Amino acid sequence: MGYGYAGSTPVAPQGAVGDHRVQLGAFSSVENAEAEWTRVRARFATLQGLDPRITAVQAKSKRLYRLQATLPEAAAAQALCGTLKAGGQACLYVPPK
């Protein structure tokens, strides 16, 4: 599927704006992260207009792939995370660095 991942460098997908992110999980492979995006996006209409961002990170002795959605403002990201949590989906607001 190719959702904004390129090796160990995060890639902002086309149409993405802002630097406020909602993290939906960390996975053992890009394929698992992509599958989760498909699953979560099907459950929550609020994700329909967003593109995923998959970023590789080294955690101790293994590589993980963070699945995130990018939003233009903190309030929008926090509201999205609140909606997802209310629907039983784990998420974490990630502010800009």
Side-chain angles (χ1 to χ4, degrees):
M1 287 185 179
Y3 287 124
Y5 170 77
S8 62
T9 304
V11 176
Q14 277 190 324
V17 293
D19 204 16
H20 299 272
R21 289 165 287 173
V22 172
Q23 184 165 317
L24 302 171
F27 303 89
S28 60
S29 70
V30 171
E31 293 80 15
N32 288 346
E34 290 175 342
E36 178 66 2
W37 176 255
T38 299
R39 186 189 71 76
V40 173
R41 190 172 174 189
R43 282 185 58 210
F44 296 96
T46 53
L47 295 174
Q48 294 302 317
L50 301 176
D51 291 320
R53 176 181 174 136
I54 298 172
T55 307
V57 295
Q58 193 67 33
K60 296 185 182 179
S61 62
K62 62 183 175 179
R63 181 167 282 225
L64 294 175
Y65 299 87
R66 291 179 180 156
L67 172 61
Q68 300 174 334
T70 304
L71 291 101
E73 300 173 352
Q78 292 167 345
L80 173 59
C81 198
T83 297
L84 296 174
K85 284 181 179 180
Q89 173 64 45
C91 68
L92 174 69
Y93 168 65
V94 181
K97 292 181 181 181

